[in-house]
CSV table of all heavy atoms in Angstrom, one decimal:
chain,number,residue,atom,x,y,z
A,1402,MET,N,0.8,-1.2,0.0
A,1402,MET,CA,0.0,0.0,0.0
A,1402,MET,C,0.9,1.2,0.0
A,1402,MET,O,1.8,1.4,0.8
A,1402,MET,CB,-0.9,0.0,1.2
A,1402,MET,CG,-1.8,1.1,1.4
A,1402,MET,SD,-2.9,0.8,2.8
A,1402,MET,CE,-3.5,2.4,3.0
A,1403,ALA,N,0.6,2.1,-0.9
A,1403,ALA,CA,1.4,3.4,-1.0
A,1403,ALA,C,1.0,4.4,0.0
A,1403,ALA,O,-0.1,4.3,0.7
A,1403,ALA,CB,1.3,3.9,-2.4
A,1404,ALA,N,1.7,5.4,0.2
A,1404,ALA,CA,1.4,6.5,1.1
A,1404,ALA,C,0.1,7.1,0.7
A,1404,ALA,O,-0.3,7.2,-0.4
A,1404,ALA,CB,2.5,7.6,1.1
A,1405,THR,N,-0.7,7.5,1.8
A,1405,THR,CA,-2.0,8.1,1.5
A,1405,THR,C,-1.9,9.5,0.9
A,1405,THR,O,-0.8,10.2,1.0
A,1405,THR,CB,-2.8,8.2,2.8
A,1405,THR,OG1,-2.1,9.2,3.7
A,1405,THR,CG2,-2.9,6.9,3.5
A,1406,GLU,N,-2.9,10.0,0.3
A,1406,GLU,CA,-2.9,11.3,-0.3
A,1406,GLU,C,-2.7,12.4,0.8
A,1406,GLU,O,-2.0,13.4,0.6
A,1406,GLU,CB,-4.3,11.6,-1.0
A,1406,GLU,CG,-4.5,10.8,-2.3
A,1406,GLU,CD,-3.4,11.2,-3.3
A,1406,GLU,OE1,-3.1,12.4,-3.5
A,1406,GLU,OE2,-3.0,10.3,-4.1
A,1407,HIS,N,-3.3,12.1,2.0
A,1407,HIS,CA,-3.1,13.1,3.1
A,1407,HIS,C,-1.6,13.1,3.5
A,1407,HIS,O,-1.0,14.2,3.7
A,1407,HIS,CB,-3.9,12.7,4.2
A,1407,HIS,CG,-3.9,13.6,5.4
A,1407,HIS,ND1,-4.3,14.9,5.3
A,1407,HIS,CD2,-3.4,13.5,6.6
A,1407,HIS,CE1,-4.1,15.5,6.5
A,1407,HIS,NE2,-3.5,14.7,7.3
A,1408,ALA,N,-0.9,12.0,3.5
A,1408,ALA,CA,0.5,11.9,3.9
A,1408,ALA,C,1.3,12.6,2.8
A,1408,ALA,O,2.3,13.4,3.2
A,1408,ALA,CB,0.9,10.5,4.1
A,1409,ILE,N,1.0,12.5,1.6
A,1409,ILE,CA,1.7,13.1,0.5
A,1409,ILE,C,1.5,14.7,0.6
A,1409,ILE,O,2.5,15.4,0.4
A,1409,ILE,CB,1.3,12.6,-0.8
A,1409,ILE,CG1,1.7,11.1,-0.9
A,1409,ILE,CG2,1.9,13.4,-2.0
A,1409,ILE,CD1,1.2,10.4,-2.1
A,1410,GLU,N,0.3,15.1,0.9
A,1410,GLU,CA,0.0,16.5,1.0
A,1410,GLU,C,0.8,17.1,2.2
A,1410,GLU,O,1.4,18.2,2.0
A,1410,GLU,CB,-1.5,16.7,1.3
A,1410,GLU,CG,-1.9,18.2,1.4
A,1410,GLU,CD,-3.4,18.3,1.7
A,1410,GLU,OE1,-4.2,17.4,1.3
A,1410,GLU,OE2,-3.7,19.3,2.4
A,1411,LEU,N,0.8,16.4,3.3
A,1411,LEU,CA,1.6,16.9,4.5
A,1411,LEU,C,3.1,16.9,4.2
A,1411,LEU,O,3.8,17.8,4.6
A,1411,LEU,CB,1.3,16.0,5.7
A,1411,LEU,CG,-0.1,16.1,6.3
A,1411,LEU,CD1,-0.2,15.1,7.4
A,1411,LEU,CD2,-0.3,17.6,6.8
A,1412,THR,N,3.6,16.0,3.4
A,1412,THR,CA,5.0,15.9,3.0
A,1412,THR,C,5.3,17.1,2.1
A,1412,THR,O,6.4,17.8,2.3
A,1412,THR,CB,5.3,14.6,2.2
A,1412,THR,OG1,5.0,13.5,3.1
A,1412,THR,CG2,6.8,14.6,1.8
A,1413,HIS,N,4.4,17.5,1.2
A,1413,HIS,CA,4.7,18.7,0.4
A,1413,HIS,C,4.7,20.0,1.3
A,1413,HIS,O,5.6,20.8,1.0
A,1413,HIS,CB,3.6,18.8,-0.7
A,1413,HIS,CG,3.7,17.9,-1.8
A,1413,HIS,ND1,4.1,18.3,-3.1
A,1413,HIS,CD2,3.6,16.5,-1.9
A,1413,HIS,CE1,4.2,17.2,-3.9
A,1413,HIS,NE2,3.9,16.2,-3.2
A,1414,LEU,N,3.8,20.0,2.2
A,1414,LEU,CA,3.8,21.2,3.1
A,1414,LEU,C,5.1,21.3,3.9
A,1414,LEU,O,5.7,22.3,4.1
A,1414,LEU,CB,2.6,21.1,4.1
A,1414,LEU,CG,1.2,21.4,3.5
A,1414,LEU,CD1,0.1,21.1,4.5
A,1414,LEU,CD2,1.1,22.8,3.0
A,1415,ALA,N,5.5,20.1,4.5
A,1415,ALA,CA,6.7,20.1,5.3
A,1415,ALA,C,7.9,20.4,4.4
A,1415,ALA,O,8.8,21.2,4.9
A,1415,ALA,CB,6.9,18.7,5.9
A,1416,ALA,N,8.0,19.9,3.2
A,1416,ALA,CA,9.1,20.2,2.3
A,1416,ALA,C,9.2,21.7,2.0
A,1416,ALA,O,10.2,22.3,2.0
A,1416,ALA,CB,9.0,19.4,1.1
A,1417,GLN,N,8.0,22.3,1.7
A,1417,GLN,CA,8.0,23.7,1.4
A,1417,GLN,C,8.4,24.5,2.6
A,1417,GLN,O,9.2,25.5,2.5
A,1417,GLN,CB,6.6,24.2,1.0
A,1417,GLN,CG,6.6,25.6,0.5
A,1417,GLN,CD,7.5,25.9,-0.7
A,1417,GLN,OE1,7.4,25.2,-1.7
A,1417,GLN,NE2,8.4,26.8,-0.5
A,1418,ALA,N,7.9,24.1,3.8
A,1418,ALA,CA,8.3,24.9,5.0
A,1418,ALA,C,9.8,24.7,5.3
A,1418,ALA,O,10.5,25.7,5.6
A,1418,ALA,CB,7.6,24.3,6.2
A,1419,ALA,N,10.4,23.6,5.0
A,1419,ALA,CA,11.8,23.4,5.2
A,1419,ALA,C,12.6,24.2,4.2
A,1419,ALA,O,13.6,24.9,4.5
A,1419,ALA,CB,12.2,21.9,5.0
A,1420,ALA,N,12.1,24.2,2.9
A,1420,ALA,CA,12.8,25.0,1.9
A,1420,ALA,C,12.7,26.5,2.2
A,1420,ALA,O,13.7,27.3,2.0
A,1420,ALA,CB,12.2,24.7,0.5
A,1421,ASP,N,11.6,27.0,2.8
A,1421,ASP,CA,11.4,28.4,3.2
A,1421,ASP,C,12.5,28.8,4.2
A,1421,ASP,O,12.8,29.9,4.3
A,1421,ASP,CB,10.0,28.6,3.7
A,1421,ASP,CG,9.0,28.6,2.6
A,1421,ASP,OD1,9.3,28.6,1.4
A,1421,ASP,OD2,7.8,28.5,3.0
A,1422,LYS,N,12.9,27.8,5.1
A,1422,LYS,CA,13.9,28.1,6.1
A,1422,LYS,C,15.3,27.7,5.6
A,1422,LYS,O,16.3,27.6,6.3
A,1422,LYS,CB,13.6,27.3,7.3
A,1422,LYS,CG,12.3,27.7,8.0
A,1422,LYS,CD,12.4,29.1,8.6
A,1422,LYS,CE,11.1,29.4,9.3
A,1422,LYS,NZ,11.2,30.8,9.9
A,1423,LEU,N,15.4,27.6,4.3
A,1423,LEU,CA,16.7,27.4,3.5
A,1423,LEU,C,17.3,26.0,3.7
A,1423,LEU,O,18.5,25.9,3.6
A,1423,LEU,CB,17.7,28.5,3.9
A,1423,LEU,CG,17.2,29.9,3.7
A,1423,LEU,CD1,18.3,30.9,4.1
A,1423,LEU,CD2,16.8,30.2,2.3
A,1424,ALA,N,16.5,25.0,4.0
A,1424,ALA,CA,17.0,23.6,4.0
A,1424,ALA,C,17.4,23.3,2.5
A,1424,ALA,O,16.8,23.8,1.6
A,1424,ALA,CB,15.9,22.7,4.5
A,1425,THR,N,18.3,22.4,2.4
A,1425,THR,CA,18.7,21.9,1.1
A,1425,THR,C,18.7,20.4,1.0
A,1425,THR,O,18.5,19.7,2.0
A,1425,THR,CB,20.2,22.4,0.8
A,1425,THR,OG1,21.0,21.8,1.8
A,1425,THR,CG2,20.3,23.9,0.8
A,1426,ASP,N,18.9,19.9,-0.2
A,1426,ASP,CA,18.9,18.4,-0.4
A,1426,ASP,C,17.7,17.7,0.1
A,1426,ASP,O,17.9,16.6,0.7
A,1426,ASP,CB,20.2,17.9,0.2
A,1426,ASP,CG,21.5,18.5,-0.4
A,1426,ASP,OD1,21.5,18.9,-1.6
A,1426,ASP,OD2,22.4,18.8,0.4
A,1427,LEU,N,16.5,18.2,-0.1
A,1427,LEU,CA,15.3,17.6,0.4
A,1427,LEU,C,15.0,16.3,-0.4
A,1427,LEU,O,15.0,16.3,-1.7
A,1427,LEU,CB,14.1,18.6,0.3
A,1427,LEU,CG,14.2,19.6,1.4
A,1427,LEU,CD1,14.7,20.9,0.8
A,1427,LEU,CD2,12.8,19.8,1.9
A,1428,VAL,N,14.7,15.3,0.3
A,1428,VAL,CA,14.4,14.0,-0.3
A,1428,VAL,C,13.3,13.4,0.5
A,1428,VAL,O,13.4,13.3,1.8
A,1428,VAL,CB,15.6,13.0,-0.3
A,1428,VAL,CG1,15.2,11.7,-1.0
A,1428,VAL,CG2,16.8,13.6,-1.1
A,1429,ALA,N,12.2,12.9,-0.1
A,1429,ALA,CA,11.1,12.2,0.6
A,1429,ALA,C,11.1,10.7,0.1
A,1429,ALA,O,11.2,10.4,-1.1
A,1429,ALA,CB,9.8,12.9,0.3
A,1430,PHE,N,10.9,9.8,1.1
A,1430,PHE,CA,10.8,8.4,0.8
A,1430,PHE,C,9.5,7.9,1.2
A,1430,PHE,O,9.1,8.1,2.4
A,1430,PHE,CB,11.9,7.6,1.5
A,1430,PHE,CG,13.3,7.9,1.1
A,1430,PHE,CD1,14.1,8.8,1.8
A,1430,PHE,CD2,13.8,7.3,0.0
A,1430,PHE,CE1,15.4,9.1,1.4
A,1430,PHE,CE2,15.1,7.6,-0.4
A,1430,PHE,CZ,15.9,8.5,0.3
A,1431,ASP,N,8.8,7.1,0.4
A,1431,ASP,CA,7.6,6.5,0.8
A,1431,ASP,C,8.0,5.2,1.5
A,1431,ASP,O,8.5,4.3,0.9
A,1431,ASP,CB,6.7,6.1,-0.5
A,1431,ASP,CG,5.4,5.4,-0.2
A,1431,ASP,OD1,5.3,4.9,0.9
A,1431,ASP,OD2,4.6,5.4,-1.1
A,1432,VAL,N,7.7,5.1,2.8
A,1432,VAL,CA,8.1,4.0,3.6
A,1432,VAL,C,6.9,3.2,4.1
A,1432,VAL,O,7.0,2.3,5.0
A,1432,VAL,CB,9.0,4.4,4.8
A,1432,VAL,CG1,10.3,5.0,4.3
A,1432,VAL,CG2,8.3,5.3,5.7
A,1433,SER,N,5.7,3.5,3.5
A,1433,SER,CA,4.5,2.9,4.1
A,1433,SER,C,4.4,1.4,4.0
A,1433,SER,O,3.8,0.8,4.8
A,1433,SER,CB,3.3,3.5,3.3
A,1433,SER,OG,3.4,3.3,1.9
A,1434,GLU,N,5.1,0.8,3.0
A,1434,GLU,CA,5.0,-0.7,2.9
A,1434,GLU,C,6.0,-1.4,3.8
A,1434,GLU,O,5.8,-2.5,4.1
A,1434,GLU,CB,5.3,-1.1,1.4
A,1434,GLU,CG,4.2,-0.6,0.5
A,1434,GLU,CD,4.4,-1.2,-0.9
A,1434,GLU,OE1,5.2,-2.1,-1.1
A,1434,GLU,OE2,3.8,-0.6,-1.8
A,1435,ARG,N,7.0,-0.7,4.3
A,1435,ARG,CA,8.1,-1.3,5.1
A,1435,ARG,C,8.0,-0.9,6.6
A,1435,ARG,O,8.6,-1.5,7.4
A,1435,ARG,CB,9.4,-1.0,4.5
A,1435,ARG,CG,9.6,-1.6,3.2
A,1435,ARG,CD,11.0,-1.5,2.7
A,1435,ARG,NE,11.2,-2.2,1.5
A,1435,ARG,CZ,11.7,-1.6,0.4
A,1435,ARG,NH1,12.2,-0.4,0.5
A,1435,ARG,NH2,11.8,-2.3,-0.7
A,1436,PHE,N,7.4,0.2,6.9
A,1436,PHE,CA,7.4,0.8,8.2
A,1436,PHE,C,6.0,1.2,8.6
A,1436,PHE,O,5.5,2.2,8.1
A,1436,PHE,CB,8.4,2.0,8.2
A,1436,PHE,CG,8.7,2.6,9.5
A,1436,PHE,CD1,9.3,1.8,10.5
A,1436,PHE,CD2,8.3,3.9,9.9
A,1436,PHE,CE1,9.6,2.3,11.7
A,1436,PHE,CE2,8.6,4.4,11.1
A,1436,PHE,CZ,9.3,3.6,12.1
A,1437,PRO,N,5.4,0.4,9.5
A,1437,PRO,CA,4.0,0.7,9.8
A,1437,PRO,C,3.7,1.9,10.6
A,1437,PRO,O,2.5,2.3,10.7
A,1437,PRO,CB,3.6,-0.6,10.7
A,1437,PRO,CG,4.9,-1.0,11.3
A,1437,PRO,CD,6.0,-0.7,10.3
A,1438,LEU,N,4.7,2.6,11.1
A,1438,LEU,CA,4.5,3.8,11.9
A,1438,LEU,C,4.5,5.1,11.2
A,1438,LEU,O,4.1,6.2,11.7
A,1438,LEU,CB,5.5,3.9,13.1
A,1438,LEU,CG,5.5,2.7,14.1
A,1438,LEU,CD1,6.6,2.9,15.1
A,1438,LEU,CD2,4.1,2.6,14.7
A,1439,ALA,N,4.9,5.1,9.9
A,1439,ALA,CA,5.0,6.3,9.1
A,1439,ALA,C,4.7,5.9,7.6
A,1439,ALA,O,4.9,4.8,7.2
A,1439,ALA,CB,6.3,6.9,9.2
A,1440,ASP,N,4.2,6.9,6.9
A,1440,ASP,CA,4.0,6.8,5.5
A,1440,ASP,C,5.2,7.3,4.7
A,1440,ASP,O,5.6,6.8,3.6
A,1440,ASP,CB,2.7,7.5,5.0
A,1440,ASP,CG,1.5,6.7,5.4
A,1440,ASP,OD1,1.6,5.5,5.7
A,1440,ASP,OD2,0.4,7.4,5.4
A,1441,VAL,N,5.8,8.4,5.2
A,1441,VAL,CA,6.8,9.1,4.4
A,1441,VAL,C,7.9,9.6,5.4
A,1441,VAL,O,7.6,10.1,6.5
A,1441,VAL,CB,6.2,10.3,3.7
A,1441,VAL,CG1,7.3,11.1,2.9
A,1441,VAL,CG2,5.1,9.9,2.7
A,1442,PHE,N,9.2,9.5,5.0
A,1442,PHE,CA,10.3,10.1,5.6
A,1442,PHE,C,10.7,11.3,4.8
A,1442,PHE,O,10.9,11.1,3.6
A,1442,PHE,CB,11.5,9.1,5.8
A,1442,PHE,CG,11.4,8.2,7.0
A,1442,PHE,CD1,12.3,7.2,7.1
A,1442,PHE,CD2,10.4,8.3,7.9
A,1442,PHE,CE1,12.3,6.3,8.2
A,1442,PHE,CE2,10.4,7.4,9.0
A,1442,PHE,CZ,11.3,6.4,9.1
A,1443,LEU,N,10.9,12.4,5.4
A,1443,LEU,CA,11.4,13.6,4.7
A,1443,LEU,C,12.8,13.9,5.3
A,1443,LEU,O,12.9,14.1,6.5
A,1443,LEU,CB,10.5,14.8,4.8
A,1443,LEU,CG,11.0,16.1,4.2
A,1443,LEU,CD1,11.1,15.9,2.7
A,1443,LEU,CD2,10.0,17.2,4.6
A,1444,ILE,N,13.8,13.9,4.4
A,1444,ILE,CA,15.2,14.2,4.9
A,1444,ILE,C,15.6,15.6,4.3
A,1444,ILE,O,15.4,15.8,3.1
A,1444,ILE,CB,16.1,13.1,4.5
A,1444,ILE,CG1,15.7,11.8,5.1
A,1444,ILE,CG2,17.6,13.4,4.9
A,1444,ILE,CD1,16.4,10.6,4.6
A,1445,ALA,N,16.2,16.4,5.1
A,1445,ALA,CA,16.7,17.7,4.6
A,1445,ALA,C,18.0,18.0,5.3
A,1445,ALA,O,18.4,17.5,6.3
A,1445,ALA,CB,15.7,18.8,4.9
A,1446,SER,N,18.8,18.9,4.6
A,1446,SER,CA,20.1,19.3,5.2
A,1446,SER,C,20.1,20.8,5.5
A,1446,SER,O,19.3,21.5,4.9
A,1446,SER,CB,21.2,19.0,4.1
A,1446,SER,OG,21.3,17.7,3.8
A,1447,ALA,N,20.9,21.1,6.5
A,1447,ALA,CA,21.1,22.5,6.8
A,1447,ALA,C,22.6,22.7,7.2
A,1447,ALA,O,23.2,21.7,7.7
A,1447,ALA,CB,20.2,23.0,7.9
A,1448,PRO,N,23.2,23.9,7.1
A,1448,PRO,CA,24.6,24.0,7.3
A,1448,PRO,C,25.1,24.0,8.7
A,1448,PRO,O,26.3,23.7,9.0
A,1448,PRO,CB,24.9,25.4,6.7
A,1448,PRO,CG,23.6,26.1,6.7
A,1448,PRO,CD,22.6,25.1,6.6
A,1449,ASN,N,24.2,24.2,9.7
A,1449,ASN,CA,24.7,24.2,11.1
A,1449,ASN,C,23.5,23.9,12.0
A,1449,ASN,O,22.3,23.9,11.6
A,1449,ASN,CB,25.4,25.5,11.5
A,1449,ASN,CG,24.5,26.7,11.2
A,1449,ASN,OD1,23.3,26.8,11.6
A,1449,ASN,ND2,25.0,27.7,10.4
A,1450,GLU,N,23.8,23.8,13.3
A,1450,GLU,CA,22.8,23.4,14.3
A,1450,GLU,C,21.7,24.5,14.4
A,1450,GLU,O,20.5,24.1,14.6
A,1450,GLU,CB,23.4,23.2,15.6
A,1450,GLU,CG,22.5,22.6,16.7
A,1450,GLU,CD,23.2,22.2,17.9
A,1450,GLU,OE1,24.5,22.1,17.9
A,1450,GLU,OE2,22.5,22.0,18.9
A,1451,ARG,N,22.0,25.7,14.3
A,1451,ARG,CA,21.1,26.8,14.4
A,1451,ARG,C,20.1,26.8,13.3
A,1451,ARG,O,18.9,26.9,13.4
A,1451,ARG,CB,21.8,28.1,14.5
A,1451,ARG,CG,20.8,29.3,14.7
A,1451,ARG,CD,21.6,30.6,14.9
A,1451,ARG,NE,20.7,31.7,15.1
A,1451,ARG,CZ,21.0,32.9,15.4
A,1451,ARG,NH1,22.3,33.2,15.5
A,1451,ARG,NH2,20.1,33.8,15.6
A,1452,ALA,N,20.6,26.5,12.1
A,1452,ALA,CA,19.8,26.4,10.9
A,1452,ALA,C,18.9,25.2,11.0
A,1452,ALA,O,17.7,25.2,10.6
A,1452,ALA,CB,20.6,26.3,9.6
A,1453,VAL,N,19.4,24.1,11.5
A,1453,VAL,CA,18.6,22.9,11.7
A,1453,VAL,C,17.4,23.2,12.6
A,1453,VAL,O,16.2,22.8,12.3
A,1453,VAL,CB,19.4,21.7,12.2
A,1453,VAL,CG1,18.5,20.6,12.6
A,1453,VAL,CG2,20.4,21.2,11.2
A,1454,GLY,N,17.7,23.9,13.7
A,1454,GLY,CA,16.6,24.3,14.6
A,1454,GLY,C,15.5,25.1,13.9
A,1454,GLY,O,14.3,25.0,14.2
A,1455,ALA,N,16.0,26.1,13.1
A,1455,ALA,CA,15.0,26.9,12.4
A,1455,ALA,C,14.1,26.1,11.4
A,1455,ALA,O,12.9,26.3,11.3
A,1455,ALA,CB,15.7,28.0,11.6
A,1456,VAL,N,14.8,25.1,10.7
A,1456,VAL,CA,14.0,24.2,9.8
A,1456,VAL,C,13.0,23.4,10.6
A,1456,VAL,O,11.8,23.3,10.2
A,1456,VAL,CB,15.0,23.3,9.0
A,1456,VAL,CG1,14.2,22.2,8.3
A,1456,VAL,CG2,15.8,24.1,8.1
A,1457,VAL,N,13.4,22.8,11.7
A,1457,VAL,CA,12.5,22.0,12.5
A,1457,VAL,C,11.3,22.9,13.0
A,1457,VAL,O,10.2,22.5,12.9
A,1457,VAL,CB,13.3,21.4,13.7
A,1457,VAL,CG1,12.3,20.8,14.7
A,1457,VAL,CG2,14.3,20.4,13.3
A,1458,ASP,N,11.6,24.1,13.5
A,1458,ASP,CA,10.6,25.0,14.0
A,1458,ASP,C,9.6,25.3,12.9
A,1458,ASP,O,8.4,25.3,13.1
A,1458,ASP,CB,11.2,26.2,14.6
A,1458,ASP,CG,11.9,26.0,15.9
A,1458,ASP,OD1,11.7,24.9,16.5
A,1458,ASP,OD2,12.6,26.9,16.4
A,1459,GLY,N,10.1,25.6,11.7
A,1459,GLY,CA,9.3,26.0,10.6
A,1459,GLY,C,8.4,24.8,10.2
A,1459,GLY,O,7.2,25.0,9.9
A,1460,VAL,N,8.9,23.6,10.1
A,1460,VAL,CA,8.1,22.5,9.7
A,1460,VAL,C,7.1,22.2,10.8
A,1460,VAL,O,5.9,22.0,10.4
A,1460,VAL,CB,9.0,21.2,9.5
A,1460,VAL,CG1,8.2,20.0,9.3
A,1460,VAL,CG2,9.9,21.5,8.3
A,1461,GLU,N,7.4,22.2,12.0
A,1461,GLU,CA,6.5,22.0,13.1
A,1461,GLU,C,5.3,23.0,13.1
A,1461,GLU,O,4.2,22.6,13.2
A,1461,GLU,CB,7.2,22.0,14.5
A,1461,GLU,CG,8.0,20.8,14.8
A,1461,GLU,CD,8.7,20.8,16.1
A,1461,GLU,OE1,8.7,21.9,16.7
A,1461,GLU,OE2,9.1,19.8,16.6
A,1462,GLU,N,5.6,24.3,12.9
A,1462,GLU,CA,4.6,25.3,12.9
A,1462,GLU,C,3.7,25.1,11.7
A,1462,GLU,O,2.4,25.2,11.9
A,1462,GLU,CB,5.2,26.7,12.8
A,1462,GLU,CG,5.9,27.1,14.0
A,1462,GLU,CD,6.7,28.4,13.8
A,1462,GLU,OE1,6.5,29.1,12.8
A,1462,GLU,OE2,7.6,28.7,14.7
A,1463,THR,N,4.2,24.7,10.6
A,1463,THR,CA,3.4,24.5,9.4
A,1463,THR,C,2.5,23.3,9.5
A,1463,THR,O,1.3,23.4,9.2
A,1463,THR,CB,4.3,24.4,8.1
A,1463,THR,OG1,5.1,25.6,7.9
A,1463,THR,CG2,3.5,24.1,6.9
A,1464,LEU,N,3.0,22.2,10.0
A,1464,LEU,CA,2.2,21.0,10.2
A,1464,LEU,C,1.2,21.1,11.3
A,1464,LEU,O,0.1,20.5,11.2
A,1464,LEU,CB,3.1,19.8,10.4
A,1464,LEU,CG,4.0,19.4,9.2
A,1464,LEU,CD1,4.8,18.2,9.5
A,1464,LEU,CD2,3.1,19.2,7.9
A,1465,PHE,N,1.5,21.9,12.3
A,1465,PHE,CA,0.6,22.1,13.4
A,1465,PHE,C,-0.7,22.9,12.9
A,1465,PHE,O,-1.8,22.6,13.3
A,1465,PHE,CB,1.2,22.9,14.5
A,1465,PHE,CG,0.3,23.2,15.7
A,1465,PHE,CD1,0.0,22.1,16.6
A,1465,PHE,CD2,-0.2,24.4,16.0
A,1465,PHE,CE1,-0.8,22.3,17.6
A,1465,PHE,CE2,-1.1,24.6,17.1
A,1465,PHE,CZ,-1.4,23.5,17.9
A,1466,ARG,N,-0.5,23.8,11.9
A,1466,ARG,CA,-1.6,24.6,11.4
A,1466,ARG,C,-2.3,23.8,10.3
A,1466,ARG,O,-3.5,24.2,10.0
A,1466,ARG,CB,-1.1,25.9,10.8
A,1466,ARG,CG,-0.6,26.9,11.8
A,1466,ARG,CD,-0.3,28.2,11.2
A,1466,ARG,NE,1.2,28.2,11.0
A,1466,ARG,CZ,1.8,28.6,9.9
A,1466,ARG,NH1,1.2,29.0,8.9
A,1466,ARG,NH2,3.2,28.6,9.9
A,1467,ALA,N,-1.8,22.7,9.8
A,1467,ALA,CA,-2.4,22.0,8.7
A,1467,ALA,C,-3.5,21.1,9.2
A,1467,ALA,O,-3.7,20.7,10.2
A,1467,ALA,CB,-1.4,21.1,8.0
């Protein structure tokens, strides 16, 4: 079973929020068939710990409002 439409929509929102905070190298993996606790893993890079914190905060705020 593939990731749900809702999971894909949330992934797009999270990726856009991460990109807005200058995250790079964004990659999303559909893990729904192998991992029962999640549909998608989103991986992103940031140059330092402070930037990572900003990305995390941005993604959390966006998904909280969704």
